[in-house]
Amino acid sequence: MINSSSAKQISDVVWEIPPSAKPGMRVPARIYATKELLAGMDNGVFEQVTNVASLPGIMRYSYAMADAHWGYGFPIGGVAAFDLETGVISPGGIGFDVNCGMRLIRTNLTFDEVKPRVKDLVDLLFRLVPAGVGVKGFLKVNQSQFEEIMKYGVKWCVENDLGWPDDVSHVEEGGYIKGADPTKVSRQASSRGISQLGTLGSGNHYLEIQVVDPSRYFDTKLGKAFGIEREDQVLVMIHCGSRGFGHQIGSDYLRIFDGAMRKYNIEVRDRELACAPFSSKEGGDYYGAMVCAANMAFTNRQVIVHRVRDAFGQVFHKEPEAMDMHLIYDVCHNIAKVEKHSYEGKNVEALVHRKGATRSFGPGHPDIPAPYRKVGQPVIIGGSMETGSYLLIGTQKAMEETFGSTAHGSGRTMSRTAAKRNIRGDVLQRQMQERGIYVKAATMDGLAEEAGVAYKDISQVVETMDRAGISKKVVALRPIGNIKG
Amino acid sequence: MSVDMNRASKDGVRFRLRAIKSFEWGGAQPMVVPYEFLPDVALADIAFEANSRTLNGLFQSCAIALTEVMVDRKTLKPRSRKEISLSSETLDTLLYDFLTEMIIMKDVISFLAKRVTVRVDPTRPSLKCELGGETISRSRHKLRNDVKAVTMHMFGIKKTPEGWATTVVLDI
């Protein structure tokens, strides 16, 4: 039985499980955690990170970040890079919510200006951005437009007046990932997705109005590089993904891969680890479809931002441009992408799976937008709606150690059923309001499930990654208004 | 047992009692618990175990449990009828496809089912299903979680001495 005691300490916050720990492991597993976080991780993390280490073509290590917890197949907080020729692609290494991610926009408004209008703003946003079960999105497109969205994501939005020109470059991969193939998307996936553009979803997805926490503004120079000029500045964070579109693509290919593994003689320890060689027809088809979902998710977050700008304009009677509502950045945290990395002294292309993990590219990387290239990529880490979130920055060390990857959030410690048993949504809503967080939720049960106590301490997660040098802290952001699906 | 039930009235046991009460047995005795939510299987998601003497009953229990995750079924009315016809490679994939089809109906036509009648033909394997339900209304329905997908985690139909059983883990 593999558990936390199977991990040997390598340095301050890095632990390793050697390939000898489990038959079939091709590389060691690496876990980023303090002693306390390691002890608190469920055994599933250790089982799963070592299962992933057994997959064909895996490069260097199977990683679990500080926020790791049990997931389907791969742990959440898992990172694994695969050789393009000998390696695999796995829907379980991406998650059903393809390109679930974070987006942060700034304003030049201060806390004092926004505070008296938070309720109006949240109420209006709740009306403008549909959330919850079975809601339809506000963006109506036909099938051919939807296929353009699958291919061109945020670029399509800007060309159709749903964004500002510089939005495109401030999204990971320049607003859309190349290689989308709409012919590999099922009819069911398209019909689920086409009506959901501009919806927040439910579960842990949110739209949040935040303010800089002046006591935890760690690096003002870096903050200024991202346009965070003041200690009382208001920002908006969005957490959502590809909605039913990505979910259906995940379901479709999980079924296809379940059969394909027999064809390619791949044996896995868990049905959710279903995978196919990246170079196979099935692997290529899934990549083409998955990229469509990723680009739809970028679009979904983009059109939501368009509405956010509109809502701020209505409430504050100013043009969004006058409020400097630029996109700071948009990151994926459920994705697999072909990226260039340095590996065993050579520059190679690898298929990097990040499941509940964020890209963390260091200074000088050509994929970082020009205004940030000197300092590094903004890394957005979303916390629970009570405890706040963080803006970090990518590092060269992440390039060297983790294929340019870091953690993504806080990670649950309490099940949804248990949270509902212990917490009442309406009571929590009142308590949060007393603490200065105005929250509006599609359902009270959903609100209870997302209470701060159901999550790990995000500060510990962020601190661990900072100590490891994989991403560095810039600023903590405190919620003042929240919309939950 | 009664003391435990009172104490745990807000967890899976509550669902168990409600399930027995609301399920249509067509004259059979409710000796088998149709479904029960499992709080400790999937931290970020929702899992349930379903049991039935018959395959038809098992598929119905799964459909009802899935719907209960999305909505309080008491707030639904069987205003309109929908049908699902499916065939698949195995019984397992038939159940996976069937539940996925119900999730697709939730997203595409905003339909949630109060009543479910399933006829499974295990020899093909295939099924025909009649659903009685209605279009989602945020004002009339007590909505819960937006289910993303059925996962393959622990998935599979098992033959038991009492009949049939399965565990379903839903991604939320």
Side-chain angles (χ1 to χ4, degrees):
Chain A
M1 177 77 181
I2 292 206
N3 53 35
S4 63
S5 61
S6 313
K8 311 266 179 300
Q9 193 160 16
I10 298 292
S11 64
D12 180 28
V13 289
V14 183
W15 304 77
E16 185 170 307
I17 303 175
S20 57
K22 191 188 256 185
M25 276 176 74
R26 295 163 194 258
V27 293
R30 283 257 167 141
I31 300 150
Y32 287 79
T34 55
K35 257 188 193 154
E36 197 185 344
L37 282 177
L38 190 83
M41 281 178 184
D42 52 284
N43 282 344
V45 171
F46 307 101
E47 276 301 335
Q48 294 187 321
V49 75
T50 49
N51 286 347
V52 172
S54 314
L55 292 176
I58 186 163
M59 296 161 76
R60 198 183 291 142
Y61 299 117
S62 163
Y63 302 89
M65 299 295 155
D67 51 349
H69 61 93
W70 177 91
Y72 303 110
F74 282 51
I76 314 282
V79 175
F82 294 88
D83 183 275
L84 297 192
E85 292 301 316
T86 61
V88 293
I89 184 167
S90 171
I94 294 164
F96 284 101
D97 195 4
V98 175
N99 190 7
C100 185
M102 306 296 306
R103 181 176 265 239
L104 184 63
I105 57 173
R106 64 179 184 242
T107 74
N108 58 13
L109 302 172
T110 64
F111 179 47
D112 285 343
E113 287 173 288
V114 175
K115 195 178 169 190
R117 306 303 306 274
V118 165
K119 190 172 177 301
D120 299 333
L121 206 47
V122 168
D123 289 346
L124 179 59
L125 283 166
F126 192 75
R127 283 206 305 278
L128 291 180
V129 183
V133 181
V135 291
K136 302 287 182 202
F138 52 80
L139 183 65
K140 309 288 177 219
V141 294
N142 59 34
Q143 181 63 28
S144 86
Q145 289 169 318
F146 193 48
E147 287 181 13
E148 290 294 296
I149 286 167
M150 293 182 212
K151 288 194 272 190
Y152 301 113
V154 177
K155 185 166 170 267
W156 181 90
C157 295
V158 172
E159 285 167 1
N160 287 276
D161 297 326
L162 293 162
W164 298 352
D166 71 349
D167 288 344
V168 180
S169 61
H170 287 66
V171 175
E172 188 168 326
E173 298 292 317
Y176 66 100
I177 302 173
K178 290 171 192 70
D181 185 350
T183 66
K184 304 305 177 194
V185 172
S186 70
R187 189 182 46 79
Q188 287 95 329
S190 280
S191 55
R192 275 182 83 178
I194 202 163
S195 60
Q196 293 190 325
L197 280 160
T199 59
L200 199 56
S202 75
N204 61 355
H205 295 147
Y206 60 78
L207 193 170
E208 196 164 85
I209 302 165
Q210 304 175 336
V211 63
V212 169
D213 181 344
S215 65
R216 292 182 297 160
Y217 197 166
F218 308 102
D219 193 325
T220 50
K221 200 175 149 210
L222 281 177
K224 282 192 172 130
F226 300 143
I228 303 174
E229 303 283 345
R230 306 167 56 113
E231 289 198 337
D232 56 356
Q233 196 165 327
V234 169
L235 299 100
V236 182
M237 188 175 275
I238 292 162
H239 177 214
C240 65
S242 50
R243 309 284 294 109
F245 186 55
H247 311 160
Q248 191 59 40
I249 288 170
S251 301
D252 290 341
Y253 280 91
L254 191 62
R255 286 272 280 105
I256 293 168
F257 282 22
D258 201 41
M261 283 192 302
R262 282 188 290 277
K263 180 170 153 190
Y264 297 110
N265 282 325
I266 301 173
E267 277 186 37
V268 292
R269 289 193 175 84
D270 176 353
R271 219 167 166 179
E272 281 281 330
L273 266 183
C275 58
F278 183 56
S279 55
S280 68
K281 183 185 181 308
E282 291 84 351
D285 287 357
Y286 172 59
Y287 188 75
M290 187 272 298
V291 169
C292 290
N295 292 338
M296 185 274 192
F298 283 140
T299 307
N300 193 31
R301 292 196 286 274
Q302 176 67 28
V303 296
I304 290 174
V305 159
H306 198 61
R307 283 260 155 134
V308 170
R309 286 173 175 153
D310 187 30
F312 271 73
Q314 285 186 47
V315 170
F316 294 101
H317 306 294
K318 284 185 191 174
E319 289 299 318
E321 289 85 352
M323 289 181 278
D324 191 40
M325 295 187 73
H326 285 277
L327 181 56
I328 290 181
Y329 209 56
D330 178 314
V331 290
C332 318
H333 59 220
N334 277 5
I335 197 78
K337 284 190 307 179
V338 177
E339 293 175 351
K340 291 188 178 73
H341 285 279
S342 172
Y343 177 67
E344 294 180 343
K346 282 187 246 164
N347 289 324
V348 299
E349 280 194 322
L351 182 69
V352 184
H353 289 63
R354 295 192 185 96
K355 183 189 188 184
T358 314
R359 200 183 73 173
S360 180
F361 281 2
H365 198 287
D367 289 353
I368 301 174
Y372 306 152
R373 199 165 296 150
K374 267 191 186 159
V375 292
Q377 175 214 308
V379 172
I380 306 161
I381 305 280
S384 77
M385 62 188 177
E386 287 188 84
T387 53
S389 301
Y390 282 83
L391 178 63
L392 318 179
I393 195 156
T395 65
Q396 181 55 33
K397 197 162 180 215
M399 303 309 297
E400 291 157 12
E401 275 191 25
T402 57
F403 292 94
S405 312
T406 188
H408 86 304
S410 38
R412 285 191 85 90
T413 54
M414 190 190 285
S415 74
R416 292 182 179 279
T417 314
K420 267 190 300 202
R421 194 165 56 214
N422 295 323
I423 300 148
R424 269 184 51 186
D426 54 344
V427 174
L428 178 66
Q429 188 181 35
R430 210 168 46 242
Q431 287 168 345
M432 285 176 68
Q433 197 159 354
E434 282 161 12
R435 296 207 311 273
I437 310 167
Y438 179 68
V439 57
K440 205 152 161 111
T443 73
M444 282 299 133
D445 276 358
L447 187 69
E449 290 174 15
E450 293 302 319
V453 293
Y455 284 87
K456 279 182 199 176
D457 176 5
I458 188 173
S459 306
Q460 272 202 53
V461 170
V462 166
E463 198 62 45
T464 304
M465 301 319 290
D466 188 274
R467 267 161 66 180
I470 298 305
S471 47
K472 300 303 278 182
K473 293 180 290 185
V474 177
V475 61
L477 303 165
R478 182 169 67 79
I480 56 172
N482 182 299
I483 290 159
K484 282 230 53 67
Chain B
M1 186 63 187
S2 62
V3 174
D4 283 342
M5 278 191 174
N6 285 334
R7 202 175 58 199
S9 62
K10 285 190 175 172
D11 69 7
V13 175
R14 177 184 62 169
F15 286 107
R16 189 196 287 202
L17 291 171
R18 183 197 296 159
I20 293 169
K21 207 175 151 191
S22 64
F23 198 75
E24 290 161 20
W25 285 94
Q29 290 299 307
M31 295 296 283
V32 181
V33 177
Y35 64 88
E36 183 178 9
F37 287 94
L38 309 169
D40 301 318
V41 170
L43 205 58
D45 296 309
I46 293 176
F48 63 83
E49 186 185 271
N51 291 279
S52 178
R53 282 207 210 80
T54 66
L55 271 174
N56 292 345
L58 186 79
F59 276 60
Q60 280 173 200
S61 297
C62 288
I64 286 168
L66 167 66
T67 308
E68 280 287 352
V69 172
M70 301 190 281
V71 65
D72 180 348
R73 278 174 57 251
K74 285 204 298 289
T75 63
L76 290 175
K77 289 196 166 68
R79 290 172 199 265
S80 62
R81 275 163 50 129
K82 305 282 172 203
E83 287 181 8
I84 298 175
S85 288
L86 280 174
S87 57
S88 197
E89 303 91 46
T90 65
L91 260 185
D92 284 0
T93 55
L94 186 69
L95 179 61
Y96 185 92
D97 294 346
F98 171 56
L99 297 177
T100 299
E101 194 61 34
M102 290 192 64
I103 296 170
I104 292 171
M105 289 175 93
K106 174 261 298 175
D107 279 345
V108 177
I109 55 169
S110 303
F111 181 86
L112 293 172
K114 184 178 181 77
R115 293 196 183 137
V116 184
T117 314
V118 191
R119 292 282 167 264
V120 179
D121 178 354
T123 55
R124 292 188 173 264
S126 63
L127 66 78
K128 284 199 186 308
C129 170
E130 258 187 41
L131 304 167
E134 61 175 320
T135 308
I136 294 172
S137 157
R138 276 174 84 158
S139 57
R140 284 187 291 109
H141 301 145
K142 188 168 182 274
L143 297 165
R144 292 177 172 151
N145 293 97
D146 199 12
V147 175
K148 290 177 186 169
V150 183
T151 77
M152 289 273 183
H153 182 67
M154 302 167 78
F155 196 78
I157 297 173
K158 292 177 209 76
K159 189 88 186 77
T160 65
E162 293 79 30
W164 300 88
T166 190
T167 300
V168 176
V169 184
L170 301 169
D171 194 1
I172 299 297

